Amino acid sequence: MRVTVFGTGYVGLVTGTCLAEVGNHVVCVDIDQAKVEGLNRGVIPIYEPGLEPMVRANHGAGRLRFTTDAAAAIAHGDTIFIAVGTPPDEDGSADLQYVLAVARSIGEHLSRPAVVVNKSTVPVGTADKVRATIAAALAARGADVAFEVASNPEFLKEGAAVNDCMRPDRIIVGSRSPRAVEQLRRLYAPFNRSHDRVVVMDERSAELTKYAANAMLATKISFMNEMANIAERVGADIEMVRHGIGSDPRIGHHFIYPGPGYGGSCFPKDVQALERIARQHDYPARILAAVEAVNDAQKGKLFELISRHFGGDVAGKTIAVWGLAFKPNTDDMREAPSRTLLAQLWAAGARVRAHDPEAMDEAARIFGERDDLVFCDSPDAALEGADALVLVTEWKAFNSPDFQAMAGRLRARVVFDGRNLFSPDAVEEAGLAYYGIGRGRTLRHD
Ligand SMILES: NC(=O)c1ccc[n+]([C@@H]2O[C@H](COP(=O)([O-])OP(=O)(O)OC[C@H]3O[C@@H](n4cnc5c(N)ncnc54)[C@H](O)[C@@H]3O)[C@@H](O)[C@H]2O)c1
């Protein structure tokens, strides 16, 4: 099938590549010329496991092309995906300018029937706006071309995006048009072989499904962080509590990890946007407001522990930071908890020696050159001359450090474990002080 994808970010590039991988002819279009030129040379703008060889193979086979030419891209596809960003507006609502710019462009160039599929995460009612925008642009040039609009929200996880795209848990198709549903069913058939994962619903329900999914996941994280903060105060260990509640199948073990707060390009903006949607419909979404407030406070948790340990004086201290990306297996640092921590450390006069397996280029781009930030080639190198270690992102490479060697390196002999990755006993046996998130046993260090 012939497919066009607007946007070559995490969603557009992965979707376009996976659709090409199963034999479709895909044209990806982006307004970022440097990105498109890079992709045409085989330079992948993001780190995503498995993506690079797949892009190269499909590009080489001629099934995957990259362009900035929207008109040519629109002429190519029978199915046209919109997968551009929907960043937060000043008031927290989703900014639709990029989605509607694509819709306008489709209306300006469409010359034969197509199904326009919105994959971006958008407020309820956006499919109607996209339809109206395309229709207005068609009318403005006196064109009469049949088109359908469907909502097909994306659920891939950064760090596992290719796998999620090739083996989706569900494929939500929001459309009242049998033709659009049929076309999407055919397009997704190769990803839908073992059992039917396609859930067909109306557009508004599809749009809300995406927000509801992310809000639920963010709620689980904030709930666990709230429990962790209670555990810390009452002298309980949240890790024991996590195992204890996760064994109830109604709760489950997934996604109930306490930590330094959620980040990334989706949860913070989507929780905010959904809260805003509710408010626009005269409903105060109290749970969402609390989820956000807990998360904002939690992002300061690691600095709070560090500051408390050093008696409120971290000026002149050198802190080794393991992990900058908002989660493992990505180089994405949007809304990453590390950013809050680094800002607080710098404001307090501390210096940072950081290591991340993939996100150091992105961090250098964000922070620029500064005297109080040194990027280190390895986890061990970050410990050189440091007073303390803070683990922020749970990359596998950080799992089993040599704590004896670490104790010989860290001047203040203290570890702050933002993901409860380490065994407190193993750390303490090496002569290091240990702080985790919600591990009440650490109260004795107070
Ligand atoms: N990143 C994720 O994990 C994820 C998962 C599910 C859903 N989403 C949603 O998918 C959407 C895209 O997210 P992303 O992370 O891929 O964004 P991104 O910021 O990584 O990429 C967006 C791309 O769209 C391009 N773009 C903007 N305007 C354009 C236009 N008019 N024509 C062509 N290209 C244009 C930008 O240059 C950029 O390359 C968002 O709504 C997001 O909420 C993201």
Side-chain angles (χ1 to χ4, degrees):
M1 294 170 79
R2 291 190 308 180
V3 179
T4 296
V5 181
F6 274 85
T8 56
Y10 286 88
V11 172
L13 183 58
V14 172
T15 302
T17 306
C18 291
L19 287 170
E21 176 76 9
V22 297
N24 298 293
H25 286 266
V26 180
V27 171
C28 291
V29 54
D30 203 297
I31 48 172
D32 184 335
Q33 195 162 350
K35 211 184 238 191
V36 168
E37 280 171 10
L39 283 163
N40 278 321
R41 289 196 316 271
V43 179
I44 313 300
I46 52 173
Y47 172 75
E48 193 55 54
L51 183 60
E52 188 168 327
M54 223 186 225
V55 171
R56 291 207 175 140
N58 286 286
H59 188 250
R63 284 191 302 271
L64 181 61
R65 287 182 286 141
F66 302 101
T67 182
T68 53
D69 185 345
I74 291 163
H76 168 84
D78 301 315
T79 310
I80 302 176
F81 283 98
I82 305 178
V84 297
T86 45
D89 226 334
E90 274 158 29
D91 67 353
S93 56
D95 182 351
L96 282 181
Q97 62 164 310
Y98 304 104
V99 170
L100 296 181
V102 174
R104 214 169 301 121
S105 179
I106 293 171
E108 283 162 3
H109 300 293
L110 197 66
S111 56
R112 57 195 182 81
V115 176
V116 176
V117 186
N118 184 43
K119 249 195 183 314
S120 299
T121 302
V122 291
V124 179
T126 299
D128 292 334
K129 286 188 182 166
V130 167
R131 188 177 293 112
T133 305
I134 296 173
L138 282 170
R141 64 182 173 98
D144 182 18
V145 187
F147 71 95
E148 317 273 357
V149 175
S151 167
N152 171 223
E154 180 53 58
F155 295 93
L156 62 76
K157 301 182 284 294
E158 285 178 26
V162 171
N163 190 55
D164 286 348
C165 196
M166 297 301 286
R167 292 170 203 80
D169 297 325
R170 76 293 214 191
I171 300 161
I172 303 286
V173 175
S175 176
R176 292 180 193 278
S177 150
R179 191 174 90 84
V181 172
E182 182 47 37
Q183 190 159 318
L184 284 170
R185 272 194 183 280
R186 267 200 296 134
L187 189 62
Y188 282 124
F191 311 99
N192 195 32
R193 289 176 75 84
S194 65
H195 61 279
D196 191 12
R197 296 171 178 86
V198 175
V199 186
V200 180
M201 57 181 77
D202 63 279
E203 294 148 12
R204 284 176 181 249
S205 301
E207 289 165 341
L208 185 56
T209 297
K210 175 62 194 179
Y211 278 120
N214 274 359
M216 181 73 203
L217 294 170
T219 302
K220 288 180 95 170
I221 295 175
S222 276
F223 176 84
M224 282 311 283
N225 284 333
E226 186 126 290
M227 290 306 114
N229 289 328
I230 295 172
E232 183 189 67
R233 283 163 177 78
V234 300
D237 184 343
I238 192 66
E239 288 304 307
M240 298 291 109
V241 177
R242 180 171 68 75
H243 281 108
I245 64 172
S247 51
D248 181 335
R250 292 170 303 175
I251 297 174
H253 288 289
H254 291 294
F255 232 73
I256 54 168
Y257 292 89
Y262 59 74
S265 70
C266 292
F267 291 176
K269 87 168 167 58
D270 291 350
V271 170
Q272 236 180 55
L274 183 53
E275 197 193 340
R276 179 81 189 146
I277 292 167
R279 223 180 314 143
Q280 281 163 352
H281 290 81
D282 299 321
Y283 180 75
R286 297 177 192 87
I287 291 179
L288 300 182
V291 165
E292 209 183 333
V294 168
N295 195 59
D296 286 348
Q298 195 68 13
K299 282 188 167 176
K301 186 70 200 171
L302 282 169
F303 181 75
E304 176 197 313
L305 292 172
I306 295 165
S307 178
R308 206 194 312 163
H309 177 82
F310 287 112
D313 185 13
V314 292
K317 295 277 186 288
T318 299
I319 310 295
V321 173
W322 283 3
L324 296 165
F326 86 93
K327 67 173 177 178
N329 299 320
T330 181
D331 59 355
D332 196 342
M333 284 189 61
R334 290 179 281 185
E335 305 278 334
S338 65
R339 296 175 75 153
T340 307
L341 173 65
L342 265 54
Q344 290 174 315
L345 287 171
W346 289 330
R351 305 164 70 82
V352 171
R353 292 178 64 79
H355 174 74
D356 187 287
E358 294 294 338
M360 291 198 290
D361 287 347
E362 178 63 1
R365 190 188 67 77
I366 293 167
F367 300 124
E369 288 256 328
R370 38 189 307 160
D371 294 343
D372 46 10
L373 173 63
V374 176
F375 292 112
C376 304
D377 289 345
S378 68
D380 279 350
L383 302 176
E384 293 297 337
D387 293 285
L389 167 66
V390 194
L391 179 126
V392 187
T393 317
E394 69 277 33
W395 284 91
K396 283 220 160 42
F398 303 149
N399 252 291
S400 307
D402 178 345
F403 292 116
Q404 297 290 345
M406 191 185 288
R409 286 201 168 119
L410 293 177
R411 288 194 293 240
R413 292 180 165 247
V414 56
V415 172
F416 301 92
D417 177 1
R419 302 287 177 174
N420 293 351
L421 198 63
F422 305 141
S423 149
D425 290 342
V427 176
E428 288 174 349
E429 274 162 23
L432 293 152
Y434 175 88
Y435 293 86
I437 303 289
R439 312 196 87 170
R441 63 203 301 284
T442 60
L443 288 178
R444 65 187 166 198
H445 295 303
D446 281 355

